[in-house]
Amino acid sequence: MIFFSVDWGTTNCRIKLVKISQGRVTLLGSEQAAMGVSEVYNGWLERPRTDRADYYLTRLRPYLEKITADLGLPMQTLQETPIVISGMASSSIGIEEVPYSMVPFELDPPKINLKIMEAFGNPQVILFSGLRTEGNIMRGEETQLIGCWQQTFASERKTFIFPGTHSKHIDVAHAAVRDFRTFITGELLSLLTNFSTIKTNVSATTPADMDVDCFNTGLSTGKKTDLLENIFTVRCNEVLNKLTKSQNYDFLIGLLLGHELKYLSGGDEIVLCAGIHLAPVYNLALELLGLANHTTMVPPDVVEQSAILGQYKILEQLNSPHLQQSEKN
């Protein structure tokens, strides 16, 4: 199967033409744009008489055309190839709001709420929705979860962890999502290191340069004590010359992860679904917390392709290329 895979987030958009055969992804072409849903929505608000879906898809079209042209494919490819869009594109600030699917949500087979529309003469432009509970929401990670899901996970209750700006901890049992939690770990780190009073007290490091002792101290502190009180400790550490700015950054990372992961225990079965950049630090945190023996790590390269694989599994349910008319309503 060949389709355009669009992962449209709040701050950027990733567009790929992919081929999937026997569960293996071949990337044919790709583009990335600093064209997040938030920015496009603000642009549309300045043109209130413009159809919203048309405006978004017009902004997307040049990237689809460039991939097509770069590969030497005829432009009719845009009319004949499914365009699958997940992430924030189906939100209240996206192309069109598509209602969330409710938890519990079956993963095998996945039947998520979606919207099929026509654009560029293509009747197979598909928006995937997200998941919700009574008090929580997500868009995007559910597609990644579907992509990572394997039958070997079906026999036990597991917590799938998807680190990111808003880290999602997804409770799965008997091949269904039962509940999930959201931790704004990545967003809080960005706010603290870019806009708060402690931004001058830290200096970013990489996992390869991390001071493990300082990270572990932060991890232990975050697990046992109050987060709001100890964020100010980060400023004190550097002002009082207890830690260097780079050591302090590692302490802060540990502090935030200790708070995020502190509810987990040795009885929890964990599946870590982290991309290339975040896998090392989360893996280290789980090891230092004594949870490594209860953790399965999905390979980071698989996680990087999980949104595409999830889109593919959902597409399979639609009997593409001739999508069922009933799904359009």
Side-chain angles (χ1 to χ4, degrees), residues 176-193:
V177 175
R178 302 297 176 182
D179 200 0
F180 56 88
R181 301 183 183 203
T182 303
F183 299 85
I184 62 166
T185 308
E187 182 174 6
L188 185 55
L189 176 65
S190 178
L191 290 171
L192 290 172
T193 56

PDB file of all heavy atoms in Angstrom, residues 176-193:
ATOM      1  N   ALA A 176      -7.003  -3.412  24.769  1.00  0.00           N
ATOM      2  CA  ALA A 176      -7.838  -2.208  24.734  1.00  0.00           C
ATOM      3  C   ALA A 176      -7.263  -1.144  25.660  1.00  0.00           C
ATOM      4  O   ALA A 176      -6.732  -1.460  26.732  1.00  0.00           O
ATOM      5  CB  ALA A 176      -9.275  -2.526  25.147  1.00  0.00           C
ATOM      6  N   VAL A 177      -7.362   0.111  25.233  1.00  0.00           N
ATOM      7  CA  VAL A 177      -6.978   1.232  26.088  1.00  0.00           C
ATOM      8  C   VAL A 177      -8.046   1.396  27.153  1.00  0.00           C
ATOM      9  O   VAL A 177      -9.240   1.542  26.842  1.00  0.00           O
ATOM     10  CB  VAL A 177      -6.845   2.538  25.270  1.00  0.00           C
ATOM     11  CG1 VAL A 177      -6.565   3.723  26.192  1.00  0.00           C
ATOM     12  CG2 VAL A 177      -5.739   2.405  24.227  1.00  0.00           C
ATOM     13  N   ARG A 178      -7.641   1.358  28.419  1.00  0.00           N
ATOM     14  CA  ARG A 178      -8.582   1.486  29.534  1.00  0.00           C
ATOM     15  C   ARG A 178      -8.574   2.888  30.139  1.00  0.00           C
ATOM     16  O   ARG A 178      -9.585   3.369  30.634  1.00  0.00           O
ATOM     17  CB  ARG A 178      -8.234   0.461  30.627  1.00  0.00           C
ATOM     18  CG  ARG A 178      -8.251  -0.972  30.140  1.00  0.00           C
ATOM     19  CD  ARG A 178      -9.623  -1.395  29.667  1.00  0.00           C
ATOM     20  NE  ARG A 178      -9.619  -2.743  29.113  1.00  0.00           N
ATOM     21  CZ  ARG A 178     -10.684  -3.345  28.589  1.00  0.00           C
ATOM     22  NH1 ARG A 178     -11.828  -2.692  28.535  1.00  0.00           N
ATOM     23  NH2 ARG A 178     -10.603  -4.560  28.112  1.00  0.00           N
ATOM     24  N   ASP A 179      -7.412   3.540  30.106  1.00  0.00           N
ATOM     25  CA  ASP A 179      -7.280   4.857  30.716  1.00  0.00           C
ATOM     26  C   ASP A 179      -5.945   5.429  30.266  1.00  0.00           C
ATOM     27  O   ASP A 179      -5.109   4.729  29.682  1.00  0.00           O
ATOM     28  CB  ASP A 179      -7.325   4.744  32.242  1.00  0.00           C
ATOM     29  CG  ASP A 179      -7.681   6.068  32.931  1.00  0.00           C
ATOM     30  OD1 ASP A 179      -7.895   7.075  32.222  1.00  0.00           O
ATOM     31  OD2 ASP A 179      -7.726   6.083  34.172  1.00  0.00           O
ATOM     32  N   PHE A 180      -5.697   6.701  30.518  1.00  0.00           N
ATOM     33  CA  PHE A 180      -4.378   7.273  30.273  1.00  0.00           C
ATOM     34  C   PHE A 180      -4.187   8.527  31.112  1.00  0.00           C
ATOM     35  O   PHE A 180      -5.146   9.153  31.561  1.00  0.00           O
ATOM     36  CB  PHE A 180      -4.138   7.568  28.784  1.00  0.00           C
ATOM     37  CG  PHE A 180      -5.150   8.473  28.123  1.00  0.00           C
ATOM     38  CD1 PHE A 180      -4.995   9.850  28.131  1.00  0.00           C
ATOM     39  CD2 PHE A 180      -6.240   7.946  27.456  1.00  0.00           C
ATOM     40  CE1 PHE A 180      -5.905  10.689  27.512  1.00  0.00           C
ATOM     41  CE2 PHE A 180      -7.169   8.763  26.830  1.00  0.00           C
ATOM     42  CZ  PHE A 180      -7.000  10.144  26.853  1.00  0.00           C
ATOM     43  N   ARG A 181      -2.916   8.855  31.337  1.00  0.00           N
ATOM     44  CA  ARG A 181      -2.525  10.051  32.075  1.00  0.00           C
ATOM     45  C   ARG A 181      -1.675  10.937  31.170  1.00  0.00           C
ATOM     46  O   ARG A 181      -1.002  10.440  30.263  1.00  0.00           O
ATOM     47  CB  ARG A 181      -1.689   9.691  33.306  1.00  0.00           C
ATOM     48  CG  ARG A 181      -2.356   8.785  34.312  1.00  0.00           C
ATOM     49  CD  ARG A 181      -1.435   8.585  35.505  1.00  0.00           C
ATOM     50  NE  ARG A 181      -1.993   7.659  36.483  1.00  0.00           N
ATOM     51  CZ  ARG A 181      -1.635   7.636  37.764  1.00  0.00           C
ATOM     52  NH1 ARG A 181      -0.732   8.493  38.220  1.00  0.00           N
ATOM     53  NH2 ARG A 181      -2.175   6.773  38.590  1.00  0.00           N
ATOM     54  N   THR A 182      -1.693  12.225  31.458  1.00  0.00           N
ATOM     55  CA  THR A 182      -0.880  13.187  30.712  1.00  0.00           C
ATOM     56  C   THR A 182       0.031  13.932  31.675  1.00  0.00           C
ATOM     57  O   THR A 182      -0.425  14.442  32.702  1.00  0.00           O
ATOM     58  CB  THR A 182      -1.766  14.205  29.961  1.00  0.00           C
ATOM     59  OG1 THR A 182      -2.660  13.511  29.091  1.00  0.00           O
ATOM     60  CG2 THR A 182      -0.908  15.171  29.138  1.00  0.00           C
ATOM     61  N   PHE A 183       1.327  13.994  31.343  1.00  0.00           N
ATOM     62  CA  PHE A 183       2.317  14.731  32.116  1.00  0.00           C
ATOM     63  C   PHE A 183       2.963  15.754  31.181  1.00  0.00           C
ATOM     64  O   PHE A 183       3.513  15.379  30.138  1.00  0.00           O
ATOM     65  CB  PHE A 183       3.387  13.789  32.670  1.00  0.00           C
ATOM     66  CG  PHE A 183       2.847  12.741  33.607  1.00  0.00           C
ATOM     67  CD1 PHE A 183       2.333  11.547  33.118  1.00  0.00           C
ATOM     68  CD2 PHE A 183       2.840  12.951  34.978  1.00  0.00           C
ATOM     69  CE1 PHE A 183       1.830  10.574  33.976  1.00  0.00           C
ATOM     70  CE2 PHE A 183       2.345  11.989  35.848  1.00  0.00           C
ATOM     71  CZ  PHE A 183       1.829  10.800  35.349  1.00  0.00           C
ATOM     72  N   ILE A 184       2.922  17.023  31.558  1.00  0.00           N
ATOM     73  CA  ILE A 184       3.447  18.057  30.654  1.00  0.00           C
ATOM     74  C   ILE A 184       4.954  18.256  30.877  1.00  0.00           C
ATOM     75  O   ILE A 184       5.456  19.371  30.906  1.00  0.00           O
ATOM     76  CB  ILE A 184       2.679  19.384  30.789  1.00  0.00           C
ATOM     77  CG1 ILE A 184       2.811  19.979  32.208  1.00  0.00           C
ATOM     78  CG2 ILE A 184       1.217  19.206  30.415  1.00  0.00           C
ATOM     79  CD1 ILE A 184       2.355  21.429  32.284  1.00  0.00           C
ATOM     80  N   THR A 185       5.661  17.153  30.973  1.00  0.00           N
ATOM     81  CA  THR A 185       7.083  17.172  31.302  1.00  0.00           C
ATOM     82  C   THR A 185       7.893  17.994  30.305  1.00  0.00           C
ATOM     83  O   THR A 185       8.681  18.869  30.687  1.00  0.00           O
ATOM     84  CB  THR A 185       7.620  15.737  31.360  1.00  0.00           C
ATOM     85  OG1 THR A 185       6.785  14.966  32.237  1.00  0.00           O
ATOM     86  CG2 THR A 185       9.049  15.710  31.866  1.00  0.00           C
ATOM     87  N   GLY A 186       7.731  17.710  29.025  1.00  0.00           N
ATOM     88  CA  GLY A 186       8.502  18.416  28.009  1.00  0.00           C
ATOM     89  C   GLY A 186       8.155  19.889  27.932  1.00  0.00           C
ATOM     90  O   GLY A 186       9.047  20.746  27.796  1.00  0.00           O
ATOM     91  N   GLU A 187       6.876  20.204  28.027  1.00  0.00           N
ATOM     92  CA  GLU A 187       6.461  21.606  27.977  1.00  0.00           C
ATOM     93  C   GLU A 187       6.978  22.369  29.192  1.00  0.00           C
ATOM     94  O   GLU A 187       7.458  23.510  29.068  1.00  0.00           O
ATOM     95  CB  GLU A 187       4.940  21.713  27.912  1.00  0.00           C
ATOM     96  CG  GLU A 187       4.447  23.146  27.808  1.00  0.00           C
ATOM     97  CD  GLU A 187       2.947  23.264  27.607  1.00  0.00           C
ATOM     98  OE1 GLU A 187       2.244  22.232  27.649  1.00  0.00           O
ATOM     99  OE2 GLU A 187       2.478  24.393  27.399  1.00  0.00           O
ATOM    100  N   LEU A 188       6.911  21.749  30.371  1.00  0.00           N
ATOM    101  CA  LEU A 188       7.388  22.412  31.585  1.00  0.00           C
ATOM    102  C   LEU A 188       8.897  22.645  31.507  1.00  0.00           C
ATOM    103  O   LEU A 188       9.392  23.713  31.899  1.00  0.00           O
ATOM    104  CB  LEU A 188       7.031  21.575  32.808  1.00  0.00           C
ATOM    105  CG  LEU A 188       7.362  22.190  34.174  1.00  0.00           C
ATOM    106  CD1 LEU A 188       6.729  23.570  34.330  1.00  0.00           C
ATOM    107  CD2 LEU A 188       6.899  21.264  35.302  1.00  0.00           C
ATOM    108  N   LEU A 189       9.641  21.671  30.993  1.00  0.00           N
ATOM    109  CA  LEU A 189      11.081  21.848  30.824  1.00  0.00           C
ATOM    110  C   LEU A 189      11.372  23.045  29.912  1.00  0.00           C
ATOM    111  O   LEU A 189      12.242  23.864  30.210  1.00  0.00           O
ATOM    112  CB  LEU A 189      11.706  20.580  30.240  1.00  0.00           C
ATOM    113  CG  LEU A 189      13.196  20.668  29.913  1.00  0.00           C
ATOM    114  CD1 LEU A 189      14.022  20.874  31.185  1.00  0.00           C
ATOM    115  CD2 LEU A 189      13.654  19.411  29.170  1.00  0.00           C
ATOM    116  N   SER A 190      10.641  23.147  28.826  1.00  0.00           N
ATOM    117  CA  SER A 190      10.834  24.263  27.892  1.00  0.00           C
ATOM    118  C   SER A 190      10.513  25.602  28.542  1.00  0.00           C
ATOM    119  O   SER A 190      11.268  26.573  28.407  1.00  0.00           O
ATOM    120  CB  SER A 190       9.963  24.057  26.654  1.00  0.00           C
ATOM    121  OG  SER A 190      10.096  25.142  25.754  1.00  0.00           O
ATOM    122  N   LEU A 191       9.419  25.650  29.268  1.00  0.00           N
ATOM    123  CA  LEU A 191       9.033  26.902  29.936  1.00  0.00           C
ATOM    124  C   LEU A 191      10.076  27.310  30.978  1.00  0.00           C
ATOM    125  O   LEU A 191      10.466  28.480  31.051  1.00  0.00           O
ATOM    126  CB  LEU A 191       7.669  26.736  30.596  1.00  0.00           C
ATOM    127  CG  LEU A 191       6.464  26.612  29.660  1.00  0.00           C
ATOM    128  CD1 LEU A 191       5.214  26.239  30.442  1.00  0.00           C
ATOM    129  CD2 LEU A 191       6.232  27.910  28.884  1.00  0.00           C
ATOM    130  N   LEU A 192      10.522  26.346  31.771  1.00  0.00           N
ATOM    131  CA  LEU A 192      11.472  26.652  32.842  1.00  0.00           C
ATOM    132  C   LEU A 192      12.827  27.107  32.297  1.00  0.00           C
ATOM    133  O   LEU A 192      13.450  28.019  32.844  1.00  0.00           O
ATOM    134  CB  LEU A 192      11.661  25.437  33.739  1.00  0.00           C
ATOM    135  CG  LEU A 192      10.469  25.054  34.626  1.00  0.00           C
ATOM    136  CD1 LEU A 192      10.722  23.719  35.315  1.00  0.00           C
ATOM    137  CD2 LEU A 192      10.179  26.138  35.654  1.00  0.00           C
ATOM    138  N   THR A 193      13.299  26.466  31.237  1.00  0.00           N
ATOM    139  CA  THR A 193      14.641  26.760  30.738  1.00  0.00           C
ATOM    140  C   THR A 193      14.677  27.904  29.733  1.00  0.00           C
ATOM    141  O   THR A 193      15.768  28.363  29.370  1.00  0.00           O
ATOM    142  CB  THR A 193      15.269  25.500  30.104  1.00  0.00           C
ATOM    143  OG1 THR A 193      14.405  25.007  29.071  1.00  0.00           O
ATOM    144  CG2 THR A 193      15.469  24.420  31.155  1.00  0.00           C
TER     145      THR A 193
END
